[in-house]
Amino acid sequence: KIPFRICCDANNLPFLTDSVPFVFCYATLHHFPDPLPVINETYRILSPGGYFFFDEEPYKRILHVNLYRGEKSYSPKKLKASIIKKILDYFFSFSKRSSRGLEHGIVENEEISFAMWKRALNCFIEKKATLQSLNGITSELFGPKNYPNFFLAYLLGGSIKGICRKAGNYVKKNGSIRQILACPLCNKNAQTSNLIQKNTSLVCCRCGKLFPVIEGVAFLFSEQKFKDLYPDIFLNMR
């Protein structure tokens, strides 16, 4: 079965408040200058008692000095380098852990500090975030039990994953994803309004704005943002 696909702004998610039981986010948050607004939006749409899971996100390396420019992360030369060269590159080169996105203008934010992660996740009543660094060094971000591992993870950098729960008791609701869609324009104005199907579009019950559904994908943006991000699709609709 093909899922209902939505193209939207992660800083303004088109869902009703307290409506989604589970949000899964993989290797995504570091593609924003600051993960806090995206996590705040995730928290808003989560049902009481709902869970947020994330994985494969980098955190800032403290023990690192940029002395020379290294090879691209996935280049053949980089992959075939000796262990000593890889260690030197890890601590002293300008090379990024992922560079393909940068070539296409995608943000690669590897400078998210412990403090930023803690601030971003602080809204959840329960939070378990695991740090993973070199050679299998692991530690918890909140309430670490092994402080030497925590300190090494802090210095060496690595990746973070976690599962967090919103306060409240979860009550299962029947229905489809379409029933919890909300107008992103009304959301931005601190108003809540459902979207309903009208021919090949979705329409807001409050402001009357139409949002196109093209080849099974709902484009839930403001008109200007839709035009800026997908000009070819936008122009074909005119």
Side-chain angles (χ1 to χ4, degrees):
K1 294 181 180 181
I2 298 176
F4 183 62
R5 294 167 293 168
I6 298 167
C7 190
C8 64
D9 181 357
N11 293 283
N12 183 21
L13 295 170
F15 300 102
L16 298 175
T17 299
D18 298 337
S19 63
V20 181
F22 178 70
V23 175
F24 175 87
C25 186
Y26 187 83
T28 301
L29 296 169
H30 68 284
H31 293 306
F32 297 90
D34 183 353
L36 180 58
V38 180
I39 292 177
N40 282 345
E41 266 295 272
T42 299
Y43 183 86
R44 177 186 68 80
I45 69 169
L46 274 176
S47 305
Y51 283 89
F52 169 54
F53 173 81
F54 65 95
D55 199 351
E56 284 297 318
E57 300 291 348
Y59 64 86
K60 185 177 181 179
R61 278 182 282 171
I62 302 300
L63 198 62
H64 184 263
V65 180
N66 291 332
L67 295 181
Y68 62 90
R69 184 168 297 280
E71 299 292 330
K72 293 177 182 178
S73 298
Y74 297 104
S75 68
K77 188 174 181 180
K78 178 85 170 181
L79 295 173
K80 293 178 181 178
S82 67
I83 187 65
I84 295 175
K85 183 66 167 62
K86 288 180 179 178
I87 291 172
L88 290 173
D89 283 348
Y90 187 85
F91 289 108
F92 300 111
S93 79
F94 287 101
S95 59
K96 297 281 185 179
R97 278 176 282 186
S98 177
S99 59
R100 290 179 178 177
L102 291 172
E103 295 173 358
H104 297 281
I106 297 172
V107 172
E108 293 281 357
N109 184 7
E110 297 185 355
E111 299 299 312
I112 307 173
S113 65
F114 277 17
M116 291 177 70
W117 278 115
K118 285 183 175 181
R119 186 170 71 251
L121 300 173
N122 198 47
C123 53
F124 294 95
I125 191 169
E126 292 178 12
K127 41 196 175 283
K128 181 180 180 181
T130 303
L131 308 168
Q132 297 174 306
S133 192
L134 291 176
N135 298 321
I137 297 170
T138 62
S139 175
E140 295 302 315
L141 178 63
F142 299 97
K145 297 177 181 178
N146 187 323
Y147 279 95
N149 272 16
F150 178 81
F151 185 64
L152 284 172
Y154 171 75
L155 290 177
L156 298 174
S159 64
I160 181 172
K161 65 178 180 180
I163 186 162
C164 307
R165 186 177 74 85
K166 185 174 179 176
N169 297 316
Y170 175 65
V171 177
K172 186 176 181 180
K173 300 174 184 177
N174 295 321
S176 69
I177 193 78
R178 294 173 184 267
Q179 293 174 306
I180 61 171
L181 290 177
C183 174
L185 304 184
C186 291
N187 271 353
K188 218 162 191 179
N189 296 321
Q191 298 173 319
T192 299
S193 181
N194 286 87
L195 296 176
I196 59 173
Q197 189 80 36
K198 184 177 181 181
N199 299 323
T200 58
S201 300
L202 294 169
V203 61
C204 174
C205 298
R206 179 188 291 269
C207 69
K209 171 67 179 175
L210 287 171
F211 300 92
V213 179
I214 304 168
E215 296 182 4
V217 180
F219 288 83
L220 303 183
F221 294 108
S222 67
E223 187 169 279
Q224 187 58 52
K225 184 158 286 189
F226 185 24
K227 182 179 179 181
D228 291 341
L229 294 175
Y230 299 95
D232 293 340
I233 298 175
F234 182 82
L235 290 173
N236 285 335
M237 292 176 53
R238 308 308 288 175

